[in-house]
Amino acid sequence: MDRIKTIFHLFFTLCAVTTFYAQTGMQPDEKKNNGFEKVTNLYLAGKLHDTVYMGMVDSLAALSLDKGVYYGVSEMPDNLKQYEKIAWSKKEYRPYRIDYFTILLNNAYLSGKWGASIFYAEKVARQSEKEDMYRPFIEPGVKMYIYSLTNQKDKQIETYQKHKQQIQDLSVKIKKEPEVYYWDGMDALRILSPIINTYFHRKDTLKGEEAYKLASSLIQGIEKDSTTSNSSRQTTKYYTIAFDFFRASGFDRKNDVKAALNKLEALLKKGDIIGDEYAYNLLDWKANYFLEIKQVDSAAFYIGKLEKTVDFSQDQQIRINRYKSQLELLRGNPERSHELLNKALEESFKMQAELSAEMDNLLYAYTEAEHHRLAFEKSETEKKKRNTWIIAISLALAVVITGGIALLRLKDRKLKKTVKDLNETADIQIALMRQFESEVRKEEQERLSQNLHDDLAGILAAVKNNVDLQVTETKEIEQKQKLIQLSEMIKLAFNNVRSKSHELFETAQLPSEEMFYQYIVHLAHIAFPDKHYKLNIQVDDYSLVNTSMEFRSELIRVIQEAFTNIIKHAKATQVDLLIYKESDELFVVIKDNGNGLELSSKQNTLGISNMKKRLKKFNAVFTFHSGITGVEIIISIPENNIKQAS
């Protein structure tokens, strides 16, 4: 997780900048050199492994922030599209999923997009929890910094008090297992940094000292982590001195302030800490310090250096103009001082307007700007009420939508189960029909064999008797007559056997027709339970006598298809099925009282096409009637096309 540590060094540093002097956010507008596209092209060309590519993207993101180059809220997700795709492609890449939201958080945070910052802070927290790497202090750390920018001191204290016990517990655990709780400790310091400043600024030294000691205890635990790099250790040292600086500023101890600033300067000269923002902090603090002690030349020197640095703060120019105003006042130029102060105030009002607009337009950002006029307070109260109603309505809609989706999914599961049961029932019924036909045919063959054996034996005996008589006869004409008689007897035996065979098969078909009716009823009850549907099924007696097994199988499939379409699309409460003979045709009528049929609808025409295809070989004719009362399908089939083969 070293790459996360590297990214958060910069993130934490800017929280630490929230000093007694109320520094604000950052948003330079330099021309961007988008290296993300180049690295992504190398990866897509197969020149980089997954982890190498994601590591390079992490480094590019950190380098951009280090140089004060930020991307829009929509730009950075575009830069990370390939990164996101890879991170969620394999389980072993789970830590990179946290990194993904961390990069987005840092970019939004440092560019002063506070609503987006809170959103991504919550994303980091939730993803960390999901991947069993929970970071409980990331989200409140971001909020604490935003509260400091908007001068919401009470919100700062409220947030700190809410997490105070957790931080105290962490200060004990981190000393025992520093490697495990290292980043929890760093996150907690982001909460302590602004609260130390707030308490000392309010001269609440008792609580300020308590928070300072808690921060010192956490730093002691953090420094025990032997796995951190030298740069990380130097960064922790920087925070230690910065906290001393906040404390000394709060107590107005000029010598201690100067000593802390000198320590920071010496630390930065070592070059172990990479990042111009550290040097910027030091210039800012020194400029303010020399103005307070009225050393004009030194103050002018550091103000001049501040003007030459990259813009690390939204209010950087405002602060410089304010410092220059104080400097001109010390030099005895009140008019120039007043001019610079007005300029700083104008820029401040503009920045506050932009900040308010940004906070209002984003879901997770909000501000409680203080104003003493009653009209404004009333307006703010009404605005809060509207927001509360909007949130309540949104939550109610979310609940309704979620419930609706759940019901639809439940209905879809039930529908799929019904269709599956319908298919399985039809398969079983067709198999039973074929088994029954096989048994009938076997029985028929046995009886036919017996009849053939008995009848043919008698006939053959008669034939033998006639042949024996022919032996005694010598006249040729008589012999011919007897042979003709013998031929007629054989023909008679053949017709007799055939007649009995057909008689047996027709007798066997009568119970088969009754069984077919039971199959259809069972299929209908599977599709349409009694408590939800009214069923009317009528199959006329002898309407299916002598129909082939192939036709009956296809007819079951057609009825099954029609039932499936009704339960899927019709929203019906009544279903009718009629099967009857009229003249030389068999009629099948399927009717429902649901939605009308839209022939242009693919979901309907697909089912109808399947039905037509199954009965095409029998020359079936389909007729459709559709209206507000439902759909009626009439199928007519010539009787000769569906008969059992002789």
Side-chain angles (χ1 to χ4, degrees):
M1 301 299 289
D2 286 342
R3 55 189 177 282
I4 297 180
K5 293 182 180 182
T6 302
I7 294 172
F8 267 101
H9 281 164
L10 182 59
F11 188 16
F12 181 83
T13 302
L14 294 167
C15 292
V17 175
T18 310
T19 66
F20 185 78
Y21 305 113
Q23 174 147 324
T24 65
M26 312 175 182
Q27 186 162 6
D29 188 22
E30 293 188 352
K31 183 179 179 180
K32 303 180 182 72
N33 179 17
N34 194 343
F36 294 99
E37 184 177 352
K38 295 178 181 178
V39 174
T40 300
N41 288 337
L42 286 174
Y43 172 78
L44 294 175
K47 296 181 180 180
L48 298 175
H49 184 266
D50 290 351
T51 54
V52 174
Y53 166 72
M54 290 189 287
M56 291 180 70
V57 171
D58 283 346
S59 298
L60 276 172
L63 185 62
S64 296
L65 299 180
D66 182 47
K67 291 185 176 181
V69 178
Y70 315 131
Y71 295 86
V73 173
S74 61
E75 281 184 293
M76 185 57 87
D78 285 340
N79 292 336
L80 301 181
K81 279 184 178 179
Q82 189 62 41
Y83 185 107
E84 179 186 14
K85 184 177 179 180
I86 299 171
W88 269 266
S89 66
K90 297 180 181 179
K91 289 184 179 180
E92 55 265 34
Y93 294 160
R94 292 186 305 163
Y96 291 94
R97 300 171 190 176
I98 305 171
D99 293 0
Y100 169 77
F101 290 117
T102 299
I103 295 171
L104 294 172
L105 166 60
N106 290 337
N107 179 74
Y109 184 88
L110 298 184
S111 60
K113 300 298 181 183
W114 311 127
S117 299
I118 295 175
F119 175 80
Y120 286 126
E122 291 179 348
K123 285 289 187 181
V124 172
R126 300 293 82 77
Q127 194 66 41
S128 300
E129 186 175 12
K130 186 176 180 180
E131 308 301 345
D132 295 325
M133 304 173 188
Y134 186 44
R135 303 273 292 277
F137 302 115
I138 289 181
E139 182 184 340
V142 173
K143 290 180 178 177
M144 284 290 283
Y145 183 59
I146 293 173
Y147 294 150
S148 69
L149 296 180
T150 53
N151 200 31
Q152 298 183 78
K153 304 299 183 184
D154 291 336
K155 283 285 188 182
Q156 285 185 337
I157 295 172
E158 179 185 338
T159 302
Y160 168 66
Q161 291 295 335
K162 181 178 178 181
H163 296 87
K164 180 179 176 181
Q165 186 59 54
Q166 277 183 285
I167 298 173
Q168 290 174 338
D169 294 342
L170 177 63
S171 68
V172 177
K173 292 188 286 189
I174 198 170
K175 291 177 181 177
K176 297 178 180 178
E177 298 180 276
E179 293 84 1
V180 175
Y181 296 102
Y182 176 90
W183 279 107
D184 283 344
M186 297 295 279
D187 294 339
L189 288 178
R190 283 199 289 277
I191 298 174
L192 288 167
S193 175
I195 203 64
I196 292 171
N197 178 43
T198 295
Y199 280 140
F200 281 123
H201 179 59
R202 289 187 168 186
K203 303 303 180 183
D204 192 343
T205 56
L206 184 63
K207 291 183 178 178
E209 282 289 293
E210 182 184 41
Y212 173 84
K213 289 178 181 178
L214 184 53
S216 300
S217 178
L218 283 175
I219 290 174
Q220 290 174 11
I222 290 169
E223 289 177 339
K224 289 184 177 182
D225 184 1
S226 59
T227 64
T228 56
S229 64
N230 185 54
S231 176
S232 297
R233 292 180 179 278
Q234 292 298 319
T235 303
T236 306
K237 183 65 175 176
Y238 178 92
Y239 299 149
T240 303
I241 301 172
F243 285 140
D244 289 339
F245 171 72
F246 300 159
R247 183 169 178 262
S249 298
F251 282 114
D252 199 26
R253 296 172 181 170
K254 302 300 184 186
N255 291 335
D256 291 342
V257 170
K258 182 178 180 181
L261 291 174
N262 289 337
K263 287 180 182 179
L264 288 173
E265 186 173 19
L267 184 66
L268 291 176
K269 284 182 179 179
K270 292 183 179 180
D272 292 326
I273 300 177
I274 301 173
D276 293 338
E277 74 282 354
Y278 293 90
Y280 167 80
N281 297 339
L282 183 61
L283 291 175
D284 182 32
W285 295 341
K286 280 201 166 188
N288 191 82
Y289 168 72
F290 285 117
L291 283 172
E292 286 193 344
I293 64 174
K294 300 180 181 180
Q295 289 189 10
V296 176
D297 292 340
S298 296
F301 173 78
Y302 287 108
I303 292 171
K305 296 197 74 172
L306 270 178
E307 287 187 289
K308 296 177 183 178
T309 61
V310 175
D311 287 346
F312 280 98
S313 167
Q314 279 181 310
D315 71 338
Q316 187 164 326
Q317 192 56 48
I318 299 172
R319 296 173 62 76
I320 290 172
N321 284 332
R322 182 159 57 83
Y323 288 160
K324 289 169 74 173
S325 173
Q326 291 177 261
L327 184 64
E328 291 300 324
L329 193 62
L330 290 175
R331 286 174 171 171
N333 300 321
E335 291 183 1
R336 177 58 178 164
S337 173
H338 183 70
E339 180 183 338
L340 289 168
L341 185 59
N342 283 339
K343 189 175 180 180
L345 287 172
E346 288 175 5
E347 289 293 329
S348 177
F349 291 146
K350 181 181 177 181
M351 187 198 75
Q352 289 296 328
E354 291 174 355
L355 180 61
S356 296
E358 196 272 335
M359 296 290 277
D360 285 338
N361 290 335
L362 289 168
L363 179 61
Y364 292 93
Y366 62 92
T367 180
E368 295 178 356
E370 294 180 356
H371 201 284
H372 296 293
R373 286 183 292 180
L374 293 176
F376 181 79
E377 290 178 356
K378 182 179 179 181
S379 175
E380 285 294 290
T381 302
E382 291 299 322
K383 182 179 177 181
K384 288 179 184 177
K385 287 181 179 179
R386 286 197 305 272
N387 289 342
T388 302
W389 275 107
I390 290 171
I391 292 171
I393 293 170
S394 299
L395 289 174
L397 285 174
V399 170
V400 171
I401 292 170
T402 303
I405 292 172
L407 288 174
L408 286 174
R409 288 181 176 175
L410 180 60
K411 182 178 179 182
D412 185 57
R413 284 197 296 269
K414 289 182 177 179
L415 178 62
K416 288 180 179 177
K417 184 179 184 304
T418 300
V419 173
K420 181 181 177 183
D421 291 343
L422 201 58
N423 292 336
E424 290 176 352
T425 302
D427 291 339
I428 292 170
Q429 290 176 347
I430 291 172
L432 288 172
M433 288 170 59
R434 288 174 178 166
Q435 181 182 356
F436 179 75
E437 181 191 33
S438 176
E439 291 174 355
V440 169
R441 288 188 180 278
K442 183 178 179 183
E443 182 182 351
E444 179 190 4
Q445 289 171 357
E446 290 176 353
R447 294 181 62 180
L448 183 59
S449 175
Q450 185 67 39
N451 287 337
L452 286 172
H453 177 270
D454 295 342
D455 293 343
L456 188 58
I459 294 172
L460 287 176
V463 171
K464 184 178 182 300
N465 183 53
N466 286 323
V467 171
D468 290 341
L469 289 175
Q470 288 180 36
V471 173
T472 61
E473 299 291 336
T474 58
K475 292 181 180 182
E476 186 177 348
I477 294 175
E478 292 180 2
Q479 187 177 4
K480 285 183 179 181
Q481 290 176 347
K482 292 183 183 295
L483 288 174
I484 291 171
Q485 185 180 6
L486 179 60
S487 176
E488 291 296 327
M489 291 176 69
I490 293 172
K491 183 179 180 180
L492 178 62
F494 175 78
N495 289 335
N496 188 32
V497 169
R498 185 179 181 186
S499 176
K500 286 188 177 182
S501 173
H502 282 295
E503 180 184 351
L504 175 63
F505 187 74
E506 288 178 8
T507 303
Q509 286 297 304
L510 291 176
S512 172
E513 184 179 347
E514 177 64 24
M515 186 175 292
F516 183 84
Y517 172 76
Q518 295 299 329
Y519 288 160
I520 296 300
V521 171
H522 182 59
L523 197 65
H525 282 293
I526 292 292
F528 309 111
D530 291 340
K531 63 180 180 180
H532 298 297
Y533 297 91
K534 181 180 179 182
L535 289 173
N536 176 29
I537 301 174
Q538 295 181 25
V539 180
D540 283 1
D541 294 339
Y542 303 103
S543 59
L544 296 170
V545 170
N546 285 338
T547 55
S548 68
M549 178 59 63
E550 180 184 12
F551 171 72
R552 294 189 184 200
S553 298
E554 294 296 354
L555 183 56
I556 282 184
R557 290 297 189 194
V558 167
I559 293 171
Q560 170 202 351
E561 186 73 47
F563 285 176
T564 300
N565 281 341
I566 291 171
I567 62 177
K568 277 186 175 181
H569 311 301
K571 296 181 180 178
T573 59
Q574 180 171 337
V575 179
D576 298 320
L577 171 62
L578 309 176
I579 301 176
Y580 60 92
K581 270 186 182 180
E582 195 171 279
S583 298
D584 294 328
E585 287 188 301
L586 178 70
F587 287 88
V588 180
V589 180
I590 306 167
K591 185 178 180 182
D592 68 72
N593 67 343
N595 297 334
L597 179 67
E598 297 179 8
L599 293 179
S600 61
S601 171
K602 184 177 180 181
Q603 64 186 15
N604 287 323
T605 57
L606 179 61
I608 292 170
S609 176
N610 289 338
M611 294 162 66
K612 288 181 176 180
K613 187 182 297 183
R614 288 190 178 277
L615 296 182
K616 182 179 180 181
K617 67 186 79 172
F618 305 105
N619 293 329
V621 176
F622 282 73
T623 305
F624 300 96
H625 300 289
S626 178
I628 58 174
T629 58
V631 174
E632 182 180 44
I633 303 174
I634 302 174
I635 310 169
S636 60
I637 312 105
E639 185 179 6
N640 291 336
N641 294 338
I642 59 177
K643 280 191 173 183
Q644 174 72 37
S646 297

